[in-house]
Amino acid sequence: MDKFTLRNVELWYNDFKALKNVSMDIEAHEITAFIGPSGCGKSTLLKSLNRMNDLIEGCKITGGLMLDGEDIYGDMDINLLRKRVGMVFQKPNPFPMSIYDNIAFGPRTHGIKSKYKLDDIVEKALKDAAIWDEAKDRLKKSALSLSGGQQQRLCIARALSVSPDVLLMDEPTSALDPISTSKIEDLVSELKKEYTVVIVTHNMQQATRISDKTGFFLLGEMVEYGESEQIFSMPKDKRCEDYITGRFG
């Protein structure tokens, strides 16, 4: 079952064409990785999936971008879209408030007032993000007192608190140490049971370890897309092979 369907997607920042004719299907309950050198369009494409690029002046997008068959850039309510498609950024960005309030923030925004309900949501989100055991006795403490790796798992929990269908992750481990990175990779592999995950990563080993499908981007173009195993062992495109074997750049 396809979660996202992209057809001939092109994106401009004023005169600069950042995405060129991208067509792909992203399947539900899979982890899809976008790889490629810096500035190749992978984060731009990721942010198009929940319209984060709308915030950038001079940004224009054409082509078809569907979520569950519905046009994302049609008359879809943008708040509803961002509830369904959560986002985790490169650097952990907890709000300067308690751990509990970080997680309850989204549900409260969507009108959930009952403490009993919020307690349940906070517990489930922290458990889903594999940080409940570390956080349960300090829910009233500031989220900023957590370590970097814990803060990133908290941000994942915050994204999960509004029950999205999809989790977009923009290099979620690039600011973390190897142990925290490994915890987040294990977590992402678990999350695909309930969510669809799209991850941008500079770390090819990470893409090999956790993703089902991989898209390789170069200068705004999707050069190759397929099963991760095939992309990393037998890429069809010479540019993709050069990048993966490190003969690139």
Side-chain angles (χ1 to χ4, degrees), residues 85-150:
V85 184
M87 181 111 187
V88 176
F89 297 93
Q90 191 168 357
K91 288 202 169 64
N93 57 347
F95 301 141
M97 50 177 80
S98 73
I99 293 172
Y100 185 97
D101 288 338
N102 261 271
I103 309 298
F105 187 87
R108 282 179 180 139
T109 310
H110 292 289
I112 295 175
K113 300 276 190 288
S114 141
K115 182 169 179 337
Y116 171 75
K117 261 196 188 148
L118 288 170
D119 287 352
D120 271 358
I121 289 170
V122 168
E123 182 171 340
K124 180 180 184 328
L126 290 169
K127 279 181 172 164
D128 283 355
I131 187 172
W132 172 248
D133 290 340
E134 294 150 82
K136 62 176 191 251
D137 299 327
R138 45 200 287 205
L139 294 175
K140 292 193 165 69
K141 290 211 161 68
S142 165
L144 303 174
S145 67
L146 297 169
S147 72
Q150 290 172 328

Coordinates of all heavy atoms in Angstrom, one line a residue, residues 85-150:
V85 N 1.6 13.9 9.4 CA 3.0 13.7 9.0 C 3.9 14.5 9.9 O 4.1 15.7 9.8 CB 3.1 14.2 7.5 CG1 4.6 13.9 7.0 CG2 2.1 13.5 6.6
G86 N 4.4 13.8 10.9 CA 5.3 14.4 11.9 C 6.7 14.6 11.4 O 7.1 13.9 10.4
M87 N 7.5 15.4 12.1 CA 8.8 15.7 11.6 C 9.8 15.7 12.8 O 9.5 16.3 13.9 CB 8.8 17.1 10.9 CG 10.1 17.5 10.4 SD 10.0 17.4 8.6 CE 11.7 17.8 8.1
V88 N 11.0 15.1 12.6 CA 12.0 15.2 13.6 C 13.3 15.8 12.9 O 13.6 15.3 11.8 CB 12.4 13.8 14.2 CG1 13.6 13.8 15.1 CG2 11.1 13.2 14.9
F89 N 13.9 16.8 13.5 CA 15.0 17.5 12.8 C 16.3 17.0 13.2 O 16.5 16.1 14.1 CB 14.9 19.0 13.2 CG 13.6 19.6 12.6 CD1 12.4 19.6 13.4 CD2 13.5 20.0 11.3 CE1 11.2 20.2 12.9 CE2 12.3 20.5 10.8 CZ 11.2 20.6 11.6
Q90 N 17.3 17.6 12.6 CA 18.7 17.1 12.8 C 19.2 17.3 14.2 O 19.8 16.4 14.8 CB 19.5 18.0 11.8 CG 20.9 17.5 11.6 CD 21.6 18.3 10.4 OE1 20.9 19.1 9.7 NE2 22.8 18.0 10.2
K91 N 18.9 18.5 14.7 CA 19.4 18.8 16.1 C 18.1 18.7 17.0 O 17.1 19.2 16.7 CB 19.9 20.2 16.2 CG 21.3 20.4 15.5 CD 22.0 21.6 16.1 CE 23.5 21.6 15.7 NZ 23.6 21.8 14.2
P92 N 18.3 18.0 18.1 CA 17.2 17.9 19.1 C 16.7 19.3 19.4 O 17.5 20.2 19.7 CB 17.8 17.2 20.3 CG 19.1 16.6 19.8 CD 19.5 17.4 18.7
N93 N 15.4 19.5 19.4 CA 14.9 20.9 19.7 C 13.7 20.8 20.7 O 12.6 21.2 20.4 CB 14.5 21.6 18.4 CG 13.4 20.8 17.6 OD1 13.2 19.6 17.9 ND2 12.8 21.4 16.7
P94 N 14.0 20.3 21.9 CA 12.9 20.3 22.9 C 12.5 21.7 23.2 O 13.3 22.6 23.2 CB 13.5 19.6 24.1 CG 15.0 19.5 23.9 CD 15.3 19.8 22.5
F95 N 11.2 21.8 23.6 CA 10.7 23.2 24.0 C 11.3 23.4 25.5 O 11.4 22.4 26.2 CB 9.2 23.2 24.1 CG 8.5 22.9 22.8 CD1 7.4 22.1 22.7 CD2 9.1 23.4 21.6 CE1 6.8 21.9 21.5 CE2 8.5 23.2 20.4 CZ 7.3 22.4 20.3
P96 N 11.5 24.6 25.8 CA 12.1 24.9 27.2 C 11.0 24.8 28.2 O 10.5 25.8 28.8 CB 12.6 26.3 27.1 CG 11.8 26.9 25.9 CD 11.4 25.8 25.0
M97 N 10.5 23.6 28.4 CA 9.4 23.3 29.4 C 9.6 21.9 29.9 O 10.6 21.2 29.5 CB 8.0 23.5 28.8 CG 7.8 22.8 27.5 SD 6.2 23.0 26.7 CE 6.2 24.6 26.0
S98 N 8.7 21.4 30.7 CA 8.9 20.1 31.3 C 8.8 19.0 30.2 O 8.3 19.2 29.2 CB 7.9 19.8 32.4 OG 6.7 19.6 31.8
I99 N 9.4 17.8 30.6 CA 9.3 16.7 29.7 C 7.8 16.4 29.4 O 7.4 16.2 28.2 CB 9.9 15.4 30.3 CG1 11.5 15.7 30.5 CG2 9.6 14.1 29.6 CD1 12.2 14.6 31.2
Y100 N 7.0 16.4 30.4 CA 5.5 16.1 30.3 C 4.9 17.1 29.3 O 4.2 16.8 28.4 CB 4.9 16.2 31.6 CG 3.4 15.8 31.6 CD1 3.0 14.5 32.0 CD2 2.4 16.7 31.3 CE1 1.6 14.2 31.9 CE2 1.0 16.4 31.2 CZ 0.7 15.1 31.6 OH -0.7 14.8 31.5
D101 N 5.2 18.4 29.5 CA 4.6 19.5 28.7 C 5.0 19.4 27.3 O 4.3 19.8 26.4 CB 4.8 20.9 29.3 CG 4.0 21.1 30.6 OD1 3.0 20.3 30.7 OD2 4.3 21.9 31.4
N102 N 6.3 19.0 27.0 CA 6.7 18.8 25.7 C 5.8 17.8 24.9 O 5.5 18.1 23.8 CB 8.2 18.3 25.6 CG 9.2 19.4 25.4 OD1 9.6 19.7 24.3 ND2 9.7 19.9 26.5
I103 N 5.5 16.7 25.5 CA 4.8 15.7 24.9 C 3.3 16.1 24.8 O 2.6 15.8 23.8 CB 4.9 14.3 25.6 CG1 6.3 14.0 25.8 CG2 4.2 13.2 24.8 CD1 7.2 13.8 24.6
A104 N 2.8 16.7 25.8 CA 1.3 17.1 25.9 C 1.0 18.3 25.0 O -0.1 18.6 24.7 CB 0.9 17.4 27.3
F105 N 2.1 19.0 24.5 CA 1.9 20.2 23.8 C 1.0 20.0 22.5 O 0.0 20.8 22.3 CB 3.3 20.8 23.4 CG 3.2 22.1 22.7 CD1 3.2 23.3 23.5 CD2 3.1 22.3 21.3 CE1 3.2 24.5 22.9 CE2 3.0 23.5 20.7 CZ 3.1 24.7 21.5
G106 N 1.3 19.1 21.7 CA 0.6 18.8 20.5 C -0.9 18.4 20.8 O -1.8 19.0 20.2
P107 N -1.1 17.4 21.6 CA -2.4 17.0 21.9 C -3.3 18.1 22.5 O -4.5 18.2 22.1 CB -2.3 15.9 22.9 CG -0.9 15.3 22.7 CD -0.1 16.4 22.1
R108 N -2.7 18.9 23.3 CA -3.4 20.1 23.9 C -3.8 21.0 22.7 O -4.9 21.6 22.7 CB -2.6 20.9 24.9 CG -2.5 20.2 26.2 CD -1.6 21.0 27.2 NE -1.6 20.4 28.5 CZ -0.4 20.3 29.2 NH1 0.7 20.8 28.8 NH2 -0.5 19.7 30.4
T109 N -2.9 21.3 21.8 CA -3.2 22.2 20.7 C -4.4 21.6 19.9 O -5.1 22.4 19.3 CB -1.9 22.2 19.7 OG1 -0.8 22.5 20.5 CG2 -2.1 23.3 18.7
H110 N -4.5 20.3 19.8 CA -5.6 19.7 19.1 C -6.8 19.5 20.0 O -7.7 18.7 19.6 CB -5.1 18.4 18.4 CG -4.1 18.6 17.3 ND1 -4.4 19.1 16.1 CD2 -2.8 18.3 17.3 CE1 -3.3 19.2 15.4 NE2 -2.3 18.7 16.1
G111 N -6.8 20.2 21.1 CA -8.1 20.2 21.9 C -8.2 19.2 23.0 O -9.3 19.1 23.6
I112 N -7.2 18.4 23.3 CA -7.3 17.4 24.4 C -7.0 18.1 25.7 O -5.9 18.6 25.9 CB -6.4 16.2 24.1 CG1 -6.9 15.4 22.9 CG2 -6.4 15.2 25.3 CD1 -6.1 14.3 22.4
K113 N -8.0 18.1 26.6 CA -7.8 18.8 27.9 C -7.7 17.9 29.1 O -7.1 18.2 30.1 CB -9.0 19.8 28.1 CG -9.2 20.8 27.1 CD -8.4 22.0 27.3 CE -8.7 23.2 26.4 NZ -8.3 23.0 25.0
S114 N -8.3 16.7 29.0 CA -8.4 15.8 30.1 C -7.0 15.3 30.6 O -6.3 14.8 29.8 CB -9.3 14.6 29.7 OG -8.8 13.4 30.3
K115 N -6.8 15.5 31.9 CA -5.4 15.1 32.4 C -5.3 13.6 32.3 O -4.2 13.1 31.9 CB -5.3 15.5 33.9 CG -3.9 15.2 34.4 CD -3.6 15.8 35.7 CE -2.3 15.4 36.3 NZ -1.6 14.2 35.8
Y116 N -6.3 12.9 32.5 CA -6.3 11.4 32.4 C -5.9 11.0 31.0 O -5.0 10.1 30.8 CB -7.7 10.9 32.8 CG -7.9 9.4 32.5 CD1 -7.3 8.5 33.4 CD2 -8.7 9.0 31.5 CE1 -7.5 7.1 33.2 CE2 -8.9 7.6 31.3 CZ -8.3 6.7 32.1 OH -8.5 5.4 31.9
K117 N -6.5 11.6 30.0 CA -6.1 11.3 28.6 C -4.7 11.7 28.3 O -3.9 11.0 27.6 CB -7.1 12.1 27.6 CG -8.2 11.2 27.1 CD -8.8 11.9 25.9 CE -10.1 11.1 25.5 NZ -11.1 11.9 24.9
L118 N -4.3 12.9 28.7 CA -3.0 13.4 28.4 C -1.9 12.5 29.1 O -0.9 12.2 28.5 CB -2.8 14.8 28.9 CG -3.5 15.9 28.1 CD1 -3.5 17.3 28.8 CD2 -2.9 16.1 26.7
D119 N -2.2 12.1 30.3 CA -1.2 11.1 31.0 C -1.0 9.9 30.1 O 0.1 9.4 30.0 CB -1.8 10.7 32.4 CG -1.7 11.8 33.4 OD1 -1.1 12.9 33.1 OD2 -2.3 11.6 34.5
D120 N -2.1 9.4 29.6 CA -2.0 8.2 28.8 C -1.2 8.4 27.5 O -0.3 7.6 27.1 CB -3.4 7.7 28.3 CG -4.1 6.8 29.3 OD1 -3.4 6.5 30.3 OD2 -5.2 6.4 29.1
I121 N -1.5 9.6 26.9 CA -0.8 9.9 25.6 C 0.7 10.1 25.9 O 1.6 9.6 25.2 CB -1.4 11.2 25.0 CG1 -2.8 10.9 24.5 CG2 -0.5 11.8 23.9 CD1 -3.5 12.2 24.1
V122 N 1.1 10.8 27.0 CA 2.5 11.0 27.3 C 3.2 9.7 27.6 O 4.3 9.5 27.0 CB 2.6 12.0 28.6 CG1 4.0 12.0 29.1 CG2 2.1 13.4 28.2
E123 N 2.5 8.8 28.3 CA 3.2 7.5 28.6 C 3.4 6.7 27.3 O 4.5 6.2 27.1 CB 2.3 6.7 29.6 CG 3.0 5.4 30.0 CD 2.3 4.7 31.2 OE1 1.5 5.4 32.0 OE2 2.5 3.5 31.3
K124 N 2.3 6.7 26.5 CA 2.5 5.8 25.3 C 3.5 6.4 24.4 O 4.4 5.7 23.8 CB 1.1 5.8 24.5 CG 1.2 4.9 23.3 CD -0.1 4.8 22.5 CE 0.0 3.9 21.3 NZ 1.2 3.8 20.5
A125 N 3.6 7.7 24.2 CA 4.5 8.4 23.3 C 6.0 8.1 23.8 O 6.9 7.8 23.0 CB 4.3 9.8 23.1
L126 N 6.2 8.3 25.1 CA 7.5 8.1 25.7 C 7.9 6.6 25.6 O 9.1 6.3 25.3 CB 7.6 8.6 27.1 CG 7.5 10.1 27.3 CD1 7.3 10.5 28.8 CD2 8.8 10.8 26.8
K127 N 6.9 5.7 25.7 CA 7.3 4.3 25.6 C 7.6 3.9 24.1 O 8.6 3.2 23.8 CB 6.1 3.4 26.0 CG 6.0 3.2 27.6 CD 4.9 2.4 28.0 CE 5.0 2.1 29.5 NZ 3.7 1.6 30.1
D128 N 6.8 4.5 23.2 CA 7.0 4.2 21.8 C 8.4 4.8 21.3 O 9.0 4.2 20.4 CB 5.9 4.9 20.9 CG 4.6 4.1 20.9 OD1 4.6 3.0 21.5 OD2 3.6 4.5 20.3
A129 N 8.8 5.9 22.0 CA 10.1 6.4 21.6 C 11.3 5.9 22.5 O 12.4 6.4 22.5 CB 10.1 8.0 21.8
A130 N 10.9 4.8 23.3 CA 12.0 4.1 24.1 C 12.7 5.0 25.0 O 13.9 5.0 25.2 CB 13.0 3.4 23.1
I131 N 11.9 5.9 25.7 CA 12.6 6.8 26.7 C 11.8 6.9 28.0 O 12.1 7.6 28.9 CB 12.9 8.2 26.1 CG1 13.7 9.0 27.0 CG2 11.6 8.9 25.7 CD1 14.2 10.3 26.6
W132 N 10.7 6.1 28.0 CA 9.9 6.1 29.2 C 10.6 5.8 30.5 O 10.5 6.5 31.5 CB 8.7 5.1 29.0 CG 7.8 4.9 30.2 CD1 7.7 3.8 31.0 CD2 6.9 5.8 30.9 NE1 6.9 3.9 32.0 CE2 6.3 5.2 32.0 CE3 6.6 7.2 30.6 CZ2 5.4 5.8 32.8 CZ3 5.7 7.8 31.4 CH2 5.1 7.1 32.5
D133 N 11.4 4.7 30.5 CA 12.1 4.3 31.7 C 13.1 5.4 32.2 O 13.2 5.5 33.4 CB 12.9 3.0 31.4 CG 12.0 1.8 31.2 OD1 10.8 1.9 31.7 OD2 12.4 0.8 30.6
E134 N 13.7 6.1 31.3 CA 14.6 7.2 31.7 C 13.9 8.4 32.1 O 14.4 9.3 32.9 CB 15.6 7.5 30.6 CG 16.5 6.4 30.2 CD 16.9 6.4 28.7 OE1 17.8 7.1 28.4 OE2 16.3 5.6 28.0
A135 N 12.6 8.6 31.7 CA 11.9 9.9 31.9 C 10.8 9.8 33.0 O 10.4 10.8 33.5 CB 11.4 10.4 30.6
K136 N 10.3 8.6 33.3 CA 9.1 8.5 34.0 C 9.2 9.1 35.4 O 8.2 9.6 35.9 CB 8.6 7.1 34.1 CG 9.5 6.1 34.8 CD 8.9 4.7 34.9 CE 9.7 3.8 35.8 NZ 10.4 2.8 35.1
D137 N 10.3 9.2 36.0 CA 10.4 9.7 37.4 C 10.8 11.2 37.4 O 11.0 11.8 38.4 CB 11.5 9.0 38.2 CG 11.1 7.5 38.4 OD1 9.9 7.2 38.4 OD2 12.0 6.7 38.4
R138 N 10.9 11.8 36.2 CA 11.3 13.2 36.1 C 10.5 14.0 35.1 O 11.0 14.9 34.4 CB 12.8 13.3 35.8 CG 13.3 12.4 34.6 CD 14.7 12.1 34.6 NE 15.5 13.3 34.2 CZ 16.7 13.1 33.7 NH1 17.3 12.0 33.5 NH2 17.4 14.2 33.3
L139 N 9.2 13.6 35.0 CA 8.3 14.2 34.0 C 8.2 15.7 34.2 O 7.9 16.5 33.2 CB 7.0 13.5 34.0 CG 7.0 12.1 33.5 CD1 5.6 11.5 33.7 CD2 7.4 11.9 32.1
K140 N 8.3 16.2 35.4 CA 8.1 17.6 35.7 C 9.4 18.4 35.5 O 9.4 19.6 35.6 CB 7.6 17.8 37.2 CG 6.2 17.2 37.4 CD 5.6 17.7 38.7 CE 4.1 17.5 38.8 NZ 3.7 16.1 38.9
K141 N 10.5 17.7 35.3 CA 11.8 18.4 35.1 C 11.9 18.9 33.7 O 11.3 18.4 32.8 CB 12.9 17.4 35.4 CG 13.1 17.0 36.9 CD 14.5 16.7 37.2 CE 14.8 16.8 38.7 NZ 14.2 15.7 39.4
S142 N 12.8 19.9 33.5 CA 12.9 20.5 32.2 C 13.5 19.5 31.2 O 14.4 18.7 31.5 CB 13.9 21.7 32.3 OG 14.3 22.0 31.0
A143 N 12.9 19.5 30.0 CA 13.4 18.6 28.9 C 14.8 19.0 28.6 O 15.6 18.1 28.1 CB 12.5 18.8 27.7
L144 N 15.3 20.2 28.9 CA 16.6 20.6 28.6 C 17.7 19.9 29.5 O 18.9 20.0 29.2 CB 16.8 22.1 28.6 CG 15.8 22.9 27.7 CD1 15.9 24.3 27.9 CD2 16.0 22.5 26.2
S145 N 17.2 19.3 30.5 CA 18.1 18.6 31.5 C 18.5 17.2 30.9 O 19.4 16.5 31.5 CB 17.5 18.5 32.8 OG 16.4 17.5 32.8
L146 N 17.9 16.8 29.8 CA 18.2 15.5 29.3 C 19.5 15.5 28.4 O 19.8 16.6 27.9 CB 17.0 15.0 28.4 CG 15.7 14.7 29.0 CD1 14.6 14.5 28.0 CD2 15.8 13.5 29.9
S147 N 20.1 14.4 28.2 CA 21.3 14.4 27.3 C 20.8 14.5 25.9 O 19.6 14.4 25.6 CB 22.0 13.0 27.5 OG 21.2 12.0 26.8
G148 N 21.8 14.8 24.9 CA 21.4 15.0 23.5 C 20.6 13.8 22.9 O 19.6 14.0 22.3
G149 N 21.1 12.6 23.2 CA 20.4 11.4 22.7 C 19.0 11.3 23.2 O 18.1 10.9 22.5
Q150 N 18.9 11.6 24.6 CA 17.6 11.5 25.2 C 16.7 12.6 24.6 O 15.5 12.4 24.4 CB 17.7 11.7 26.7 CG 18.4 10.5 27.4 CD 18.7 10.8 28.8 OE1 19.0 11.9 29.2 NE2 18.6 9.8 29.7

